[in-house]
Amino acid sequence: MSRLAVNPTRMELRRLKARLKTAQRGHKLLKDKSDEMVRRFLSYVKENKRLREETETDLAEAMKSFTLAKAVMSKTELAETLCMPARKASVETSMENVMGVEVPVVQIAFDGAASGVDALPYSLVSAASDLDTAIEKINELMEKLLRLAQVEKTCNMLAEEIEKNRRRVNALEYVMIPQLTETIKYIVMKLDENERGSIVRLMKVKSLMQSEEP
């Protein structure tokens, strides 16, 4: 490991020791943060898997019911039946802090009934019963679909932040901390050499002075 280009002085030694201590403390904090982020990420991944499986199952059932309704009703009847919505929806977005990452939060609010006759945009006598089932299932899916989109976006953002944090941890662990450690060893070695040289010179001076005495 290459060392830093510094002057081997005691002042520089103190400065590098302080930098090493800060780097080691920062490495530990980043490592702990990375571990916690991975734990939170895995919990979101599990939730994402559950929501996706539930959504795909419910959507398949809704499409099956809609296909059966299409087989019974003509295109004109189907278009006239669905041309007017029975409910209005409003979406509110905000941000939530997850381990220092700002992730989106989406909330949907409906005007009108969520299920039953009032949730259908047509009269019961004008449509097949399979269409009623399809509409009700799709109404129930709206909140789940938004939650799935929110969780998937959170997973993507956390994955990017985990990768960035991993690069910072590796830079400290494999580059900065070894460089500082190697440089500190070099300075200590140089200072010890200088100290031994000074002692040798003093001993020679003392020896010369003693030899010159009568």
Side-chain angles (χ1 to χ4, degrees):
M1 175 59 65
S2 62
R3 56 180 174 80
L4 301 174
V6 297
N7 295 325
T9 62
R10 295 191 180 279
M11 183 178 295
E12 192 67 36
L13 179 62
R14 286 195 297 270
R15 189 180 71 83
L16 289 177
K17 283 184 176 180
R19 282 186 61 186
L20 177 60
K21 186 176 180 181
T22 301
Q24 290 172 335
R25 185 167 62 249
H27 174 266
K28 183 180 183 306
L29 291 174
L30 285 174
K31 191 72 168 59
D32 292 343
K33 178 183 177 181
S34 181
D35 293 342
E36 179 61 20
M37 287 181 69
V38 169
R39 188 189 68 80
R40 297 288 294 274
F41 173 75
L42 292 176
S43 68
Y44 277 108
V45 168
K46 290 180 181 178
E47 184 179 4
N48 180 74
K49 183 176 183 294
R50 177 185 62 80
L51 285 171
R52 178 167 288 280
E53 290 175 350
E54 291 179 2
T55 300
E56 289 177 351
T57 300
D58 294 345
L59 189 58
E61 292 177 358
M63 293 305 297
K64 179 181 178 182
S65 299
F66 187 72
T67 301
L68 292 174
K70 284 177 64 178
V72 176
M73 302 172 65
S74 67
K75 290 184 178 180
T76 303
E77 290 175 334
L78 191 61
E80 290 178 351
T81 302
L82 298 177
C83 66
M84 291 295 293
R87 305 172 70 199
K88 292 182 179 179
S90 59
V91 176
E92 295 183 359
T93 60
S94 59
M95 303 300 289
E96 180 184 11
N97 190 299
V98 178
M99 298 298 297
V101 181
E102 292 292 327
V103 299
V105 176
V106 183
Q107 293 180 331
I108 186 170
F110 293 100
D111 295 332
S115 61
V117 178
D118 295 334
L120 301 176
Y122 48 79
S123 171
L124 293 179
V125 297
S126 63
S129 61
D130 289 314
L131 185 61
D132 303 343
T133 303
I135 295 296
E136 289 181 354
K137 286 186 176 298
I138 289 174
N139 282 338
E140 294 171 358
L141 268 173
M142 288 298 294
E143 291 187 36
K144 192 174 291 186
L145 282 169
L146 285 176
R147 176 61 182 169
L148 175 60
Q150 175 184 324
V151 171
E152 283 195 350
K153 183 62 176 177
T154 300
C155 287
N156 292 336
M157 296 178 72
L158 282 177
E160 291 178 1
E161 187 63 24
I162 288 171
E163 179 61 23
K164 291 178 183 177
N165 199 67
R166 185 185 65 82
R167 288 197 293 267
R168 297 189 191 105
V169 170
N170 288 343
L172 285 171
E173 184 173 350
Y174 298 110
V175 179
M176 180 174 286
I177 291 177
Q179 275 187 343
L180 291 173
T181 303
E182 188 69 22
T183 306
I184 288 172
K185 288 181 180 178
Y186 165 75
I187 293 177
V188 170
M189 181 185 69
K190 282 294 185 180
L191 291 175
D192 288 343
E193 287 181 1
N194 293 338
E195 186 174 352
R196 286 194 296 270
S198 298
I199 293 174
V200 169
R201 285 194 296 272
L202 288 174
M203 292 177 66
K204 286 184 178 180
V205 170
K206 182 178 180 181
S207 177
L208 289 172
M209 292 177 64
Q210 289 177 346
S211 64
E212 291 178 355
E213 291 179 357

